[in-house]
């Protein structure tokens, strides 16, 4: 219907505006002077970085899952530089490896990670496949027969 298409278009415009604003925020922080890191343990993100991403995009996340976050947030943000999200926002050595189902609501995944970080009382860094793998070079990130 016309109303449904108008609603989808409005959501897409909102998402595009958020992506542009978040990209500008990262540029102001100097994330445009990219320092790449090898795949693996050096490509983690902090709980704070994850919380910031979720908070910034909260108005479009609703009950979205990691598939949507990867396609609609991570890939557009990293497309220009063709890097992982972790490299875009600043890598660090992993402390915890996160294994999760991509179909779970992203907000619940983040909530669990933030709860864990708060309980430890430290600035925790996590390896989360969506953010730690370079989504543009998956054949290089995960070798055959891995």
């Amino acid at each position: 219907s016309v109303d449904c298409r108008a609603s989808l278009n409005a959501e897409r415009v909102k998402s595009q505006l958020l992506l542009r604003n978040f990209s500008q925020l990262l540029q102001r922080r100097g994330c445009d002077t990219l320092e790449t890191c090898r795949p693996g343990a050096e490509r983690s993100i902090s709980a704070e970085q994850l919380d910031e991403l979720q908070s910034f995009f909260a108005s479009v996340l609703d009950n979205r899952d990691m598939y949507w976050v990867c396609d609609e947030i991570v890939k557009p943000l990293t497309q220009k530089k063709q890097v992982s999200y972790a490299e875009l926002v600043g890598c660090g050595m992993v402390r915890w490896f996160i294994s999760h189902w991509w179909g779970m609501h992203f907000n619940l995944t983040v909530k669990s990670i933030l709860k864990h970080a708060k309980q430890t009382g430290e600035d925790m860094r996590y390896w989360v496949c969506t953010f730690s793998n370079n989504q543009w070079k998956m054949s290089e990130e995960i070798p055959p027969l891995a």
Side-chain angles (χ1 to χ4, degrees), residues 15-123:
S15 293
Q16 293 300 320
L17 180 61
L18 286 169
L19 285 165
R20 189 182 78 220
N21 290 343
F22 196 74
S23 291
Q24 290 171 348
L25 173 68
L26 294 176
Q27 285 176 348
R28 284 193 302 274
R29 289 188 185 156
C31 293
D32 55 345
T33 57
L34 188 66
E35 185 175 325
T36 60
C37 51
R38 294 187 325 255
E42 294 177 23
R43 272 209 212 143
S44 67
I45 60 171
S46 69
E48 183 180 309
Q49 289 167 325
L50 194 56
D51 187 33
E52 177 182 50
L53 181 76
Q54 179 194 28
S55 297
F56 198 92
F57 289 95
S59 64
V60 294
L61 284 173
D62 296 320
N63 293 321
R64 305 289 189 175
D65 59 22
M66 194 65 85
Y67 296 103
W68 188 90
V69 170
C70 184
D71 289 341
E72 302 297 328
I73 297 176
V74 172
K75 283 184 144 185
L77 287 172
T78 59
Q79 184 174 14
K80 183 178 177 183
K81 296 186 186 294
Q82 301 279 296
V83 296
S84 69
Y85 182 80
E87 289 172 292
L88 188 67
V89 298
C91 295
M93 189 56 71
V94 67
R95 181 81 186 269
W96 295 93
F97 175 87
I98 303 295
S99 179
H100 65 99
W101 175 49
W102 276 42
M104 178 175 275
H105 295 165
F106 178 68
N107 291 334
L108 294 176
T109 301
V110 173
K111 184 178 179 179
S112 296
I113 293 170
L114 294 177
K115 183 176 181 179
H116 177 265
K118 185 177 181 181
Q119 287 175 343
T120 64
E122 300 175 30
D123 181 28

